Amino acid sequence: MIDLHCHMLPGIDDGAPDLATALEMARVAVADGIAMVACTPHIHPGRYENTAESIAAACEDFRADLVRAGIDLEITYGADTQIVPELVEGLQSGRIPTLHGSRYFLFEPSHHIAQEGMLILLERVLDAGYVPIITHPERLHYIERHYEQFLQAVEMGAWLQLTAGSVTGRFGERIQGVAWRFLRDGVTHLLATDAHNLKNRAPLLSEGLDVAATLVGEEEAERLVSTRPAAVIADCVPSAVPMPTVSPPEGSGSPSGTREASGSSWIGRLFQR
């Protein structure tokens, strides 16, 4: 598996506070079956003033630490990038890193306040040749009121990444329900850990894979954690990458607040109106 969203670099944001924690997170990831991690610290003006240059240096140092510790984990880097007006300019100048130097990058909406200009900004970055991966939309406080906006974003060409812990219920039933809805609507491109620590935000991806398989089928679940992440690393054009599908096993369960799998595709609902 490949984890494209993880806060493992030590002391650079609100993730691993020190090297010892970062190394233990790496061990947990390897034990879980993760072969490659994209270290993606926050870029948040006024809070985490990271840049591509500083993140690359931290990644290089940590790579050497992994080798010294005998931990067989491949790492690369990107950033968990807050929505800012100068986003396109930051990407074009190289100040804001993409994932593994590809056209894909993590695009983090505000957790608390819906941003009216999000779709306009998405259009700008798409027109500039980048593919935004919207991170953990299921965990946004306002997601139920603005769910359709994220379907629009996918229709425009953006990708969606859910947190594995959301799918398993680690963040509560409400968030799990929204995550299942995204999966069953066939608009989820990636699962990632968004790991920050060793306690409630550990780098565990396999548990999310297992639950996703009950909702969308085993083949699509593998695409969430292996096929599409590998395509991102290889910088494949989106048209060459298998898009989300839904093939749930019969009798799969449903947390409260989610639709049943049959007929739940958002495209299908459009034609039922």
Side-chain angles (χ1 to χ4, degrees):
M1 297 183 293
I2 300 173
D3 183 12
L4 290 180
H5 185 176
C6 187
H7 298 261
M8 190 179 287
L9 291 178
I12 199 169
D13 65 353
D14 60 345
D18 49 47
L19 179 58
T21 302
L23 290 174
E24 190 57 33
M25 288 175 68
R27 292 186 184 97
V28 170
V30 171
D32 193 54
I34 296 171
M36 183 179 192
V37 167
C39 298
T40 53
H42 293 287
I43 291 182
H44 190 162
R47 189 177 181 191
Y48 301 113
E49 300 287 355
N50 293 310
T51 64
E53 183 178 5
S54 65
I55 295 169
C59 187
E60 189 63 28
D61 289 344
F62 187 49
R63 186 176 290 116
D65 292 325
L66 289 170
V67 171
R68 281 191 291 268
I71 301 172
D72 187 18
L73 179 67
E74 187 176 357
I75 62 169
T76 186
Y77 68 90
D80 196 10
T81 309
Q82 280 276 317
I83 295 177
V84 291
E86 64 276 10
L87 180 58
V88 174
E89 293 77 9
L91 290 165
Q92 291 175 331
S93 69
R95 179 176 54 82
I96 295 175
T98 59
L99 289 165
H100 198 62
S102 70
R103 74 194 71 206
Y104 299 86
F105 73 98
L106 299 186
F107 181 92
E108 183 183 29
S110 166
H111 278 258
H112 303 286
I113 301 173
Q115 292 160 302
E116 293 182 5
M118 186 184 81
L119 293 179
I120 295 172
L121 184 55
L122 283 173
E123 185 175 30
R124 288 186 61 207
V125 297
L126 286 161
D127 287 346
Y130 298 98
V131 180
I133 298 173
I134 301 173
T135 60
H136 47 64
E138 78 284 2
R139 287 164 42 205
L140 304 179
H141 289 199
Y142 50 84
I143 185 60
E144 290 92 346
R145 301 190 307 275
H146 294 270
Y147 187 84
E148 297 293 326
Q149 184 181 40
F150 290 85
L151 300 186
Q152 286 181 264
V154 171
E155 190 171 9
M156 291 168 61
W159 285 23
L160 295 188
Q161 172 254 303
L162 302 182
T163 303
S166 298
V167 177
T168 64
R170 286 183 179 270
F171 295 92
E173 187 175 282
R174 183 188 71 83
I175 290 173
Q176 183 185 36
V178 179
W180 283 30
R181 182 180 176 187
F182 274 123
L183 284 164
R184 286 174 160 169
D185 275 350
V187 293
T188 303
H189 299 79
L190 301 166
L191 282 184
T193 68
D194 190 13
H196 280 65
N197 56 48
L198 291 164
K199 297 179 181 178
N200 60 326
R201 303 284 295 277
L204 299 171
L205 196 51
S206 63
E207 61 183 16
L209 166 67
D210 291 343
V211 175
T214 70
L215 302 171
V216 298
E218 291 185 5
E219 183 177 8
E220 173 58 21
E222 285 292 336
R223 289 173 178 165
L224 292 167
V225 300
S226 298
T227 309
R228 289 193 200 98
V232 169
I233 296 299
D235 196 24
C236 294
V237 295
S239 60
V241 183
M243 287 295 104
T245 59
V246 181
S247 302
E250 291 185 8
S252 58
S254 175
S256 78
T258 65
R259 295 179 174 86
E260 293 302 319
S262 176
S264 66
S265 166
W266 73 276
I267 295 175
R269 293 200 303 274
L270 289 176
F271 290 99
Q272 293 171 2
R273 291 174 182 173

